């Protein structure tokens, strides 16, 4: 660090004023190193006391799989071919979303020690929580990829191009909600408990265990009002890569996913992404307002 | 050129809730009638710190010094007014500035440095200096929860001074840690000054202000009552102190009522109760009484003895003496027992403090509540009566 940077370097900032959302994002970008360190910290603390911890987080989807396979395929006889792959293709992004929301909501309260003692852009806390969830997601994705290789199951090359976009949309959406909830949770500590209930309901309202057509047949495109649906079905379309199957018992062709073009999927993601962006601006404004008293409330 | 820090008509209001609503349910139940008291911790404070200047900030406990520093660093947002500053700021606000107990010293250094805005490469380059300065080579890979409060504060200080900040904010950290380290810190601050960096320093030590500050500001009840040459500021501070002591009793010590542990009294007990002084080598007891309205789990009682020039003769606390009180509740007392005190010929000030293990929160602090009056034996001159004998060997 150069010495000449000492006097009067950098812009004069008014630390007493609320920065606008754009400035907040710039501040976050400047502190990206901190973001990485906090992600590392989250991961480390999470698995500090359990050597099996990492393995557990990989086993979690497997356990879900066993349970839902049993209930839906065997007891209820839903009969989707390759149910495991269908299920995991939807569960993994959902897990990313729900862990992101859950842990970012508690992130500011959970890092009270930092918030009360040092300044940094506070949005970094929920973002770091999302970052840690993203690391898990990639690990679980590796497991899924291995499963695909083992079963010699071919995903759709074309639709796989959408995956980065779907992932980005998901992250944007989760960041917008996570930042807002993190701030709310400082003042209303039951936000986190409320959220758990909401996430549970939300999970069942999203076509993960059952296929998209099960609800779209009844309520049509209204299903897409659930932003997670647009995201999850993109993952399913790319990885599971079947839009219908032939039911041998009823001798009919049953729909699984909308048999639409890649543009249709892209459009849905675009809508969710655009709304998330607006939501993010709102969340940053809310966060900035509530942030005034963080250090006192904690 | 713009000043390094401009504090412009800054006020800060805290709301003290009788019962703090924490959940949605409670908020709704109490909607509109949620009793709280307003408390102005800062009232219309304006000051400027020039580039390269060292400004000392003094004031009684609760006068708003820490609040002002927190506002400047951005942790608290003032209720009104503006604060402008430029350049990289390192703040040593309360001890252990954001260390995570479960992370190792090394990880905390990297985390802390990145909070200030350093990249990994920058941090790697200064890492050895940090560790060497903190003298923690052997412990750096240990989780910091195993550190003593001294080690904790050394590491915090070492990070803050080694990240090459343009602006350094320090809140009373010089009061903790052993004396050798304190000296090192002061040296480092001097070096900072010679390099033209800007420092804002909160301190209890009037001497520190005289020795290292270019100017000093005095806060009293959240208002700035003096800003200027250190000597003058110290005088104003002393005056305010005296006045406060008078009004304190009358006001029911109301400004202290927020404190979780209060020092209610301090008394020096001599060997012979009827004789109010000490002869060199006699034992001595210092009895401090305290009151904790509610249970407090993180508590350390500390004692310092200074001479009239402000030199520290002895500093110790219940941690360093291996007498951790655990938790306290209600009134109680702490007795510091000296087997023998070799002081002589003078008056020595006893100051007492109660703070958390990491020194981060100071519950109370009393200086000059009582003094040790030591007499000389007339046999030797000076301050300390080392056991001494003379043997004369008349050579032939
Ligand atoms: N988070 C807070 N909520 C309510 N009151 C506070 C808070 N922080 C500080 N105060 C009050 O503000 C006053 C000034 O505190 P502080 O700035 O820590 O004083 P100093 O550092 O000069 O001892 C104190 O009376 C304290 O009780
Ligand atoms: Mg203070």
């Amino acid at each position: 660090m150069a010495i000449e940077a000492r006097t009067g370097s950098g812009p004069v900032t008014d630390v007493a004023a609320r920065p606008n959302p754009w400035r907040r994002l710039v501040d976050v970008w400047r502190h990206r190193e901190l973001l990485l360190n906090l992600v590392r910290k989250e991961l480390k603390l999470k698995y500090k006391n359990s050597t099996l911890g990492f393995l557990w987080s990989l086993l979690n989807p497997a356990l879900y799989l066993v349970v839902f396979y049993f209930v839906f395929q065997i007891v209820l006889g839903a009969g989707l071919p390759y149910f495991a792959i269908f299920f995991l293709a939807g569960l993994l992004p959902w897990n990313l979303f729900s862990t992101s929301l859950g842990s970012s909501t508690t992130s500011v309260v959970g890092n009270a020690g930092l918030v009360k003692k040092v300044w940094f852009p506070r949005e970094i806390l929920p973002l770091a929580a999302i970052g840690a969830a993203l690391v898990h997601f990639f690990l679980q994705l590796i497991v899924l990829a291995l499963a695909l290789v083992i079963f010699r199951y071919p995903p759709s090359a074309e639709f796989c191009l959408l995956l980065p976009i779907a992932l980005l949309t998901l992250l944007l959406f989760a960041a917008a909600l996570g930042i807002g909830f993190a701030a709310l949770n400082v003042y209303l500590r039951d936000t986190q408990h409320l959220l758990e209930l909401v996430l549970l309901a939300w999970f069942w309202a999203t076509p993960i265990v059952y296929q998209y057509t099960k609800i779209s047949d009844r309520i049509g495109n209204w299903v897409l009002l659930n932003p997670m649906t647009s995201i999850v079905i993109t993952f399913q379309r790319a990885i599971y890569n079947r839009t219908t199957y032939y039911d041998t018992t009823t001798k009919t062709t049953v729909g699984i996913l909308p048999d639409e073009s890649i543009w249709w999927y892209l459009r849905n993601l675009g809508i969710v992404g655009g709304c998330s962006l607006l939501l993010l601006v709102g969340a940053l404004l809310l966060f900035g307002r509530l942030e005034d008293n963080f250090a006192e409330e904690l | 050129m713009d000043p390094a820090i401009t504090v412009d008509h800054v006020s800060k209001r805290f709301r003290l809730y009788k019962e703090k609503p924490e959940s949605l349910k409670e908020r709704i139940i109490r909607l509109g009638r949620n009793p709280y008291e307003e408390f102005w911790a800062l009232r219309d404070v304006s000051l400027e710190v020039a580039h390269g200047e060292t400004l000392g900030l003094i004031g009684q406990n609760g006068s708003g010094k820490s609040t002002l520093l927190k506002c400047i660093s951005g942790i608290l947002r003032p209720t009104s007014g503006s604060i402008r500053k430029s350049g990289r700021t390192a703040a040593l606000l309360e001890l252990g500035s954001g260390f995570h107990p479960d992370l190792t010293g090394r990880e905390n250094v990297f985390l802390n440095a990145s909070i200030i805005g350093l990249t990994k490469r920058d941090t790697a380059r200064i890492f050895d200096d940090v560790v060497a300065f903190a003298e923690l080579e052997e412990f750096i890979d240990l989780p910091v929860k195993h550190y003593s409060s001294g080690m904790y504060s050394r590491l915090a200080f070492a990070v803050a001074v080694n990240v090459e900040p343009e602006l350094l904010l320090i809140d009373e950290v010089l009061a903790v840690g052993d004396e050798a380290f304190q000296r090192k810190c002061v040296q480092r601050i001097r070096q900072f000054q010679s390099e033209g960096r800007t420092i804002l320093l909160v301190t209890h030590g009037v001497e520190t202000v005289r020795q290292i500050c270019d100017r000093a500001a005095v806060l009293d009840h959240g208002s700035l009552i003096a800003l200027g040459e250190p000597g003058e500021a110290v005088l104003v501070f002393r005056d305010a102190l005296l006045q406060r002591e008078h009004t304190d009793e009358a006001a029911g010590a109301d400004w202290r009522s927020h404190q979780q542990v209060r020092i209610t009294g301090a008394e020096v007990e001599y060997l012979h109760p009827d004789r109010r002084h000490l002869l060199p080598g006699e034992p001595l007891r210092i009895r401090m009484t305290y009151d904790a309205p509610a249970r407090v789990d993180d508590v350390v009682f500390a004692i310092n003895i200074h001479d009239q020039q402000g030199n520290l003769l002895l500093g110790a606390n219940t941690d360093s003496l291996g007498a951790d009180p655990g938790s306290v509740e209600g009134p109680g007392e702490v007795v510091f027992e000296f087997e023998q005190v070799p002081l002589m010929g003078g008056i020595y000030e006893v100051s007492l403090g109660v703070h958390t293990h990491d020194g981060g929160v100071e519950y109370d602090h009393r200086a000059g509540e009582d003094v040790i009056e030591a007499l000389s034996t007339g046999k030797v001159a000076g301050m300390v009566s080392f056991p001494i004998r003379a043997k004369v060997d008349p050579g032939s």
Side-chain angles (χ1 to χ4, degrees):
Chain A
M1 287 140 283
I3 298 274
E4 77 269 11
R6 219 164 38 235
T7 42
S9 83
V12 177
T13 49
D14 185 349
V15 287
R18 288 194 194 114
N20 60 37
W22 173 247
R23 186 90 233 131
R24 305 190 78 92
L25 290 178
V26 172
D27 271 346
V28 167
W29 174 247
R30 287 224 189 99
H31 282 77
R32 54 193 181 278
E33 188 83 28
L34 172 61
L35 183 59
L36 286 181
N37 276 335
L38 285 174
V39 170
R40 224 170 276 143
K41 183 197 101 171
E42 293 271 320
L43 291 173
K44 176 165 178 194
L45 294 182
K46 193 156 179 194
Y47 298 118
K48 180 178 53 102
N49 293 323
S50 65
T51 30
L52 284 177
F54 243 79
L55 216 58
W56 256 125
S57 77
L58 295 184
L59 276 180
N60 163 301
L63 290 178
Y64 267 79
L65 178 62
V66 170
V67 170
F68 288 121
Y69 182 79
F70 183 77
V71 173
F72 283 81
Q73 301 305 109
I74 298 183
V75 178
L76 299 177
L80 273 186
Y82 289 98
F83 176 76
I85 289 174
F86 170 80
F87 177 63
L88 288 179
L91 182 71
L92 264 47
W94 172 264
N95 271 355
L96 171 59
F97 177 70
S98 72
T99 343
S100 290
L101 274 200
S103 55
S104 57
T105 299
T106 53
S107 62
V108 174
V109 174
N111 283 291
L114 276 182
V115 174
K116 283 193 289 189
K117 290 190 173 171
V118 274
W119 181 84
F120 55 91
R122 272 70 168 97
E123 297 87 341
I124 288 215
L125 293 172
L127 292 180
I130 295 176
L134 189 62
V135 172
H136 282 146
F137 171 75
F138 281 125
L139 286 174
Q140 296 182 343
L141 208 57
I142 292 175
V143 176
L144 177 58
L146 282 179
L148 292 181
V149 171
I150 291 167
F151 289 117
R152 295 178 183 280
Y153 192 99
S156 154
E158 187 196 2
F159 279 90
C160 274
L161 292 176
L162 283 186
L163 286 189
I165 302 174
L167 180 59
L168 220 62
T169 311
L170 191 162
L171 291 176
L172 200 60
F173 186 48
L177 293 181
I179 287 175
F181 291 164
L184 279 182
N185 195 44
V186 174
Y187 298 87
L188 307 170
R189 298 286 163 96
D190 44 6
T191 305
Q192 59 196 79
H193 305 302
L194 227 64
L195 180 74
E196 274 168 32
L197 289 179
V198 170
L199 280 175
L200 188 65
W202 202 339
F203 173 78
W204 289 107
T206 309
I208 298 167
V209 182
Y210 53 88
Q211 65 267 35
Y212 174 86
T213 48
K214 279 253 153 84
I215 35 175
S216 71
D217 286 350
R218 289 195 202 149
I219 59 170
N221 277 341
W222 292 106
V223 212
L224 293 174
L225 275 184
N226 173 0
M228 282 312 288
T229 300
S230 300
I231 294 168
V232 162
I233 60 172
T234 310
F235 275 88
Q236 290 166 338
R237 182 69 186 81
I239 295 169
Y240 184 60
N241 195 16
R242 284 163 199 256
T243 49
T244 54
Y245 75 99
Y246 184 72
D247 190 335
T248 45
T249 47
T250 57
K251 305 246 186 293
T252 47
T253 303
V254 182
I256 304 175
L257 290 167
D259 189 14
E260 305 271 0
S261 72
I262 192 166
W263 303 111
W264 184 84
Y265 283 90
L266 189 61
R267 184 205 67 185
N268 294 342
L269 290 179
I271 294 172
V272 175
C275 294
S276 302
L277 214 54
L278 288 180
L279 206 57
L280 181 67
V281 173
L284 286 172
L285 286 172
L286 176 75
F287 195 94
R289 190 154 260 283
L290 296 181
E291 178 199 54
D292 288 3
N293 298 324
F294 273 3
E296 297 151 44
E297 289 283 336
L298 288 171
Chain B
M1 193 167 59
D2 280 330
I5 307 172
T6 311
V7 176
D8 198 6
H9 297 289
V10 163
S11 299
K12 175 70 190 173
R13 177 190 58 207
F14 287 119
R15 288 191 170 159
L16 308 170
Y17 290 96
K18 296 246 163 60
E19 282 165 277
K20 200 162 148 199
E22 289 226 316
S23 67
L24 190 60
K25 196 182 81 195
E26 289 172 45
R27 287 232 171 194
I28 291 172
I29 291 174
R30 294 232 183 76
L31 204 69
R33 47 192 175 89
N34 186 14
Y36 62 81
E37 275 171 31
E38 293 201 333
F39 176 83
W40 290 91
L42 290 176
R43 298 164 204 259
D44 201 25
V45 174
S46 297
L47 56 85
E48 288 182 353
V49 188
H51 282 285
E53 186 184 28
T54 301
L55 181 75
L57 197 54
I58 45 183
Q60 268 282 341
N61 257 346
S63 57
K65 306 180 298 289
S66 301
T67 304
L68 181 58
L69 243 60
K70 282 182 188 161
C71 286
I72 293 175
S73 74
I75 294 173
L76 290 177
R77 194 159 283 160
T79 311
S80 64
S82 75
I83 298 174
R84 289 181 297 281
K85 66 171 180 167
S86 64
R88 165 145 67 211
T89 310
L92 271 170
L93 292 188
E94 287 170 317
L95 276 190
S97 338
F99 283 166
H100 198 291
D102 287 321
L103 297 181
T104 66
R106 180 186 304 272
E107 290 162 337
N108 269 309
V109 169
F110 277 86
L111 186 62
N112 224 257
S114 62
I115 288 176
I116 299 167
L118 260 66
T119 63
K120 200 165 157 189
R121 186 140 30 94
D122 288 338
T123 315
R125 206 172 42 203
I126 59 162
F127 184 77
D128 288 340
D129 291 341
V130 171
V131 179
F133 190 89
E135 298 164 18
L136 285 173
E137 288 87 349
E138 296 155 54
F139 306 102
I140 198 67
D141 287 311
L142 226 60
V144 299
K145 64 180 169 200
H146 299 308
Y147 283 19
S148 70
S149 60
M151 290 157 80
Y152 216 82
S153 49
R154 286 195 330 244
L155 192 60
F157 192 88
V159 174
V161 296
N162 280 293
V163 294
E164 309 250 330
E166 299 156 44
L167 235 64
L168 184 60
L169 311 176
I170 308 179
D171 194 350
E172 306 205 9
V173 282
L174 297 179
V176 202
D178 61 57
E179 219 213 332
F181 189 72
Q182 282 179 23
R183 233 189 336 254
K184 201 154 121 185
C185 294
V186 171
Q187 246 169 35
R188 191 50 174 258
I189 288 176
R190 288 249 157 79
Q191 184 195 332
F192 257 59
Q193 293 175 316
S194 68
E195 290 166 353
R197 297 178 206 269
T198 313
I199 303 171
L200 183 53
L201 176 80
V202 169
T203 171
H204 262 128
V206 165
E207 260 341 277
T208 321
V209 175
R210 288 217 193 92
Q211 283 169 9
I212 48 186
C213 297
D214 300 318
R215 284 193 307 155
V218 185
L219 279 179
D220 184 47
H221 287 89
S223 308
L224 191 69
I225 55 169
L227 175 64
E229 199 266 322
E232 289 168 24
V234 166
L235 286 181
V236 175
F237 172 55
R238 286 246 157 100
D239 276 353
L241 248 180
L242 284 176
Q243 276 179 10
R244 155 107 5 124
E245 259 152 36
H246 289 302
T247 48
D248 231 25
E249 308 284 305
D254 146 275
W255 62 281
R256 280 197 175 132
S257 57
H258 68 280
Q259 286 165 315
Q260 291 166 283
V261 186
R262 233 168 31 237
I263 298 175
T264 48
E267 198 187 350
V268 176
E269 293 181 1
Y270 298 94
L271 179 61
H272 301 289
D274 46 331
R275 213 177 65 202
R276 294 289 301 159
H277 59 251
L278 171 94
L279 287 175
E282 279 183 353
L284 189 74
R285 264 198 205 152
I286 294 171
R287 186 182 300 275
M288 134 157 76
T289 49
Y290 64 84
D291 188 19
R295 180 189 155 108
V296 178
D297 290 319
D298 184 2
V299 62
V300 176
F301 296 95
I303 179 170
N304 280 338
I305 299 177
H306 288 93
D307 70 7
Q308 295 264 279
Q309 281 71 46
N311 297 310
L312 180 70
L313 300 184
L314 175 138
N317 61 44
T318 45
D319 265 358
S320 73
L321 299 173
D324 186 352
S327 62
V328 296
E329 187 169 3
E333 65 173 23
V334 180
V335 180
F336 293 101
E337 277 186 349
F338 295 87
E339 252 169 63
Q340 53 132 329
V341 180
L343 288 178
M344 57 184 205
I347 292 186
Y348 301 91
E349 249 184 50
V350 176
S351 50
L352 299 167
V354 196
H355 53 78
T356 52
H357 284 286
D358 63 7
V361 178
E362 187 173 59
Y363 300 119
D364 200 1
H365 181 96
R366 295 283 186 104
E369 195 83 1
D370 202 351
V371 294
I372 303 172
E373 230 183 301
L375 297 187
S376 296
T377 52
K379 289 181 198 146
V380 290
M383 267 167 48
V384 186
S385 165
F386 300 106
I388 182 176
R389 243 197 324 246
K391 269 191 196 159
V392 183
D393 185 10
S396 46

